[in-house]
Amino acid sequence: MNNVVVRDYSIPANDFTIAGEASSSVRKILSQIGVTPDVVKRTSIAMYEAEINAVIHGNGGQAHIEIDENKILIIISDQGPGIADLDLAMQEGYSTAPDSIREMGFGAGMGLSNIKKHADVFEIKTAVNEGTTVYITVFFKPVKN
Amino acid sequence: MKIPEIAELIKAEICTNNYDANMDIFSACSADLMSDVMAFSKSNALLLTGLVNPQVIRTAEMMDIKAVVFVRGKKPLETMIEMAEEKGIALLATEWPLFIASGKLYSSGIHGSGE
């Protein structure tokens, strides 16, 4: 595959001042290579939610992205506590975020469902005490059936 | 409705210089919870909020929100103004509470149904 852009970012733990830097950087790359604004927005929202999750719940982590001519793959991983009940975590409104996070404007329990809504492909691998990795793919053109 | 008109209507101070004064704002979202803002999807939108932290600007950037109004006399921090200037997002500050500022804009034509 030609023209693959690969980037890796470190997501610092509990640092809200720079949370979102990775998503902001990816957003700029997508705009620069001419990806349509609606796809840029869907990608930005999905990645930002996942990045915020890593900051809040995962003690920080890493973001790895790969862009080719058809799609972007975003892998965000942390070595945090993992998700004990994934079905429950996927429910809108369910959150384990502490009040300190809610005061920052997050932790409403909308993150995972919002990622699912905006991604074309969304997978989570998680294990208690081992961490969580989310895989988000957004296609640049509508998927043909 | 253009940003200078919005500022006049809700008696807001415009705290940034780098924004498009001719852009038409069609829709708005009022929330203190950025998680709720992230579930809102309209273009050329305005955010009204009482939350003051850099994540407000970051959320606006991700959501393509073109202007943010801080209500109840809250003022954006210097770091937030710098971020907004860089991203071309207008920041406004009004003494009015969230409900009154939202109601005034709604009754003046911003119905949240813009595309």
Side-chain angles (χ1 to χ4, degrees):
Chain A
M1 191 75 75
N2 293 327
N3 302 321
V4 175
V5 176
V6 177
R7 291 281 187 283
D8 284 282
Y9 303 90
S10 171
I11 303 171
N14 294 316
D15 189 343
F16 264 92
T17 53
I18 52 173
E21 289 275 335
S23 303
S24 180
S25 166
V26 168
R27 183 184 175 82
K28 275 182 205 138
I29 295 170
L30 292 180
S31 298
Q32 278 164 6
I33 63 172
V35 173
T36 55
D38 63 314
V39 171
V40 173
K41 188 171 172 181
R42 284 203 292 128
T43 307
S44 302
I45 294 169
M47 182 170 176
Y48 184 53
E49 291 276 21
E51 195 181 348
I52 290 284
N53 274 348
V55 173
I56 296 174
H57 301 288
N59 302 320
Q62 295 80 39
H64 173 82
I65 66 146
E66 294 176 13
I67 301 169
D68 63 31
E69 64 264 44
N70 299 315
K71 66 180 183 302
I72 176 167
L73 168 67
I74 300 161
I75 302 172
I76 296 190
S77 55
D78 66 57
Q79 282 77 49
I83 302 170
D85 187 336
L86 194 54
D87 288 339
L88 194 57
M90 288 299 299
Q91 279 183 23
E92 289 188 1
Y94 178 81
S95 177
T96 57
D99 287 348
S100 59
I101 297 299
R102 294 218 174 83
E103 283 161 20
M104 300 294 296
F106 294 93
M110 300 297 287
L112 290 178
S113 56
N114 214 18
I115 297 172
K116 192 176 174 186
K117 182 173 143 191
H118 289 97
D120 290 315
V121 182
F122 174 45
E123 279 179 71
I124 299 187
K125 287 183 183 161
T126 186
V128 172
N129 297 327
E130 287 177 26
T132 301
T133 302
V134 301
Y135 302 80
I136 297 163
T137 305
V138 180
F139 294 104
F140 297 155
K141 291 171 191 159
V143 183
K144 290 186 183 112
N145 292 317
Chain B
M1 194 180 299
K2 296 178 172 49
I3 288 166
E5 295 172 308
I6 290 169
E8 197 179 335
L9 203 62
I10 57 173
K11 301 199 174 6
E13 171 197 354
I14 303 178
C15 308
T16 52
N17 297 309
N18 181 26
Y19 63 90
D20 181 357
N22 289 316
M23 181 181 45
D24 246 328
I25 302 284
F26 300 112
S27 59
C29 171
S30 301
D32 286 352
L33 208 46
M34 293 303 107
S35 301
D36 284 343
V37 178
M38 298 291 281
F40 170 85
S41 181
K42 293 280 192 290
S43 51
N44 281 20
L46 174 80
L47 168 65
L48 295 103
T49 187
L51 186 71
V52 178
N53 69 38
Q55 295 313 309
V56 175
I57 313 301
R58 192 74 77 193
T59 302
E61 178 194 9
M62 298 303 160
M63 296 299 297
D64 274 336
I65 286 170
K66 309 294 186 188
V68 180
V69 177
F70 297 95
V71 297
R72 302 193 291 269
K74 309 260 179 96
K75 298 272 193 263
L77 308 170
E78 197 53 47
T79 52
M80 296 165 65
I81 293 174
E82 282 169 23
M83 278 172 82
E85 293 279 19
E86 187 196 318
K87 298 171 197 313
I89 298 168
L91 300 188
L92 290 78
T94 179
E95 295 293 323
W96 292 13
L98 184 58
F99 180 75
I100 305 295
S102 305
K104 184 75 175 178
L105 292 175
Y106 186 91
S107 63
S108 303
I110 296 181
H111 288 160
S113 58
E115 196 41 65

